[in-house]
Amino acid sequence: ETGVTQTPRHLVMGMTNKKSLKCEQHLGHNAMYWYKQSAKKPLELMFVYNFKEQTENNSVPSRFSPECPNSSHLFLHLHTLQPEDSALYLCASSQSSGGYEQYFGPGTRLTVT
Amino acid sequence: GESVGLHLPTLSVQEGDNSIINCAYSNSASDYFIWYKQESGKGPQFIIDIRSNMDKRQGQRVTVLLNKTVKHLSLQIAATQPGDSAVYFCAETLVYNAGNMLTFGGGTRLMVKP
């Protein structure tokens, strides 16, 4: 997946830690997304950014804080997470209009201990 | 990138046979429908899409059928190969300009026996 990259690929963190997930897209897209994939909900949209502006927050708890400094980069800042937040976090990007095809990164597997 | 610990419906087929994966969608107003494939260790990958004004669309070895009356979508894979083993998700979306919001179905695991 050279189009959309995510780092780290694996992360283990304690409930009191603060960490960040990074996503970068090399496709010239202007919309970026964070998804959560877990045993309970296979692919759940968390946040949408369009031209660096957040256009959707799908009722995500404040312990998840997204940041989009430019159209190519997207971060997900994590703090005071719970064990039930353990999941695969996927980043995707797409064109902003008429571009319903989303390109996904490989994901970050997060384990909260 | 595999579906983490999911208890998914599983379809097991013999190599060379045709596969049919079904999906029921929720929003009768959805305008686009997309099938994604997720292999182990990877994120979902676009396979094929169909717009609501169509009932069939064909790609390379894949066909998507849309039945709006019963809100049903299917993906047919011809001459299934071991490389087709993956989890398949359907997704639906309204036409939305500021970044399309996809709603994903639960997924089906396809296992191809050599």
Side-chain angles (χ1 to χ4, degrees):
Chain A
E1 292 86 9
T2 55
V4 181
T5 57
Q6 290 186 243
T7 54
R9 292 294 306 274
H10 299 272
L11 177 63
V12 179
M13 59 185 290
M15 288 189 286
T16 59
N17 291 159
K18 291 184 180 180
K19 297 287 184 183
S20 296
L21 309 184
K22 179 183 177 181
C23 174
E24 183 174 1
Q25 59 95 1
H26 311 273
L27 301 168
H29 291 162
N30 288 304
M32 297 188 76
Y33 313 78
W34 278 117
Y35 286 87
K36 176 183 178 182
Q37 188 174 41
S38 67
K40 293 184 178 180
K41 293 187 178 181
L43 272 162
E44 183 181 13
L45 179 68
M46 300 175 72
F47 300 104
V48 180
Y49 275 82
N50 190 46
F51 289 99
K52 303 185 298 180
E53 298 296 321
Q54 184 176 317
T55 56
E56 191 69 27
N57 176 337
N58 199 21
S59 302
V60 180
S62 59
R63 57 185 184 270
F64 295 91
S65 175
E67 178 190 2
C68 189
N70 55 61
S71 294
S72 298
H73 294 86
L74 185 65
F75 295 89
L76 188 62
H77 303 300
L78 315 171
H79 66 95
T80 325
L81 294 192
Q82 304 298 312
E84 59 265 29
D85 296 322
S86 298
L88 183 71
Y89 289 85
L90 289 158
C91 173
S93 71
S94 75
Q95 296 176 20
S96 292
S97 58
Y100 49 86
E101 181 178 345
Q102 294 182 14
Y103 293 80
F104 285 82
T108 295
R109 182 188 294 272
L110 173 67
T111 303
V112 181
T113 60
Chain B
E2 70 269 23
S3 302
V4 181
L6 280 172
H7 299 289
L8 297 169
T10 299
L11 174 65
S12 184
V13 300
Q14 200 70 38
E15 180 179 359
D17 288 351
N18 296 333
S19 302
I20 300 176
I21 301 171
N22 297 303
C23 175
Y25 64 91
S26 57
N27 191 342
S28 57
S30 291
D31 195 31
Y32 287 104
F33 303 88
I34 307 106
W35 280 99
Y36 279 87
K37 172 186 180 183
Q38 187 173 21
E39 298 175 270
S40 181
K42 298 182 179 180
Q45 180 184 12
F46 174 91
I47 303 173
I48 191 169
D49 59 22
I50 189 168
R51 194 165 178 181
S52 61
N53 61 355
M54 303 171 65
D55 53 20
K56 180 179 180 179
R57 190 173 186 202
Q58 289 184 291
Q60 187 176 16
R61 271 199 317 117
V62 295
T63 301
V64 56
L65 299 178
L66 175 63
N67 185 332
K68 295 183 289 293
T69 302
V70 294
K71 293 192 288 186
H72 183 266
L73 196 65
S74 69
L75 177 71
Q76 301 178 2
I77 305 174
T80 313
Q81 303 169 359
D84 296 326
S85 293
V87 176
Y88 289 81
F89 294 96
C90 67
E92 59 184 300
T93 182
L94 301 173
V95 177
Y96 183 62
N97 289 328
N100 287 287
M101 293 177 56
L102 295 179
T103 300
F104 282 84
T108 297
R109 191 181 306 277
L110 176 65
M111 298 177 63
V112 182
K113 296 176 287 186

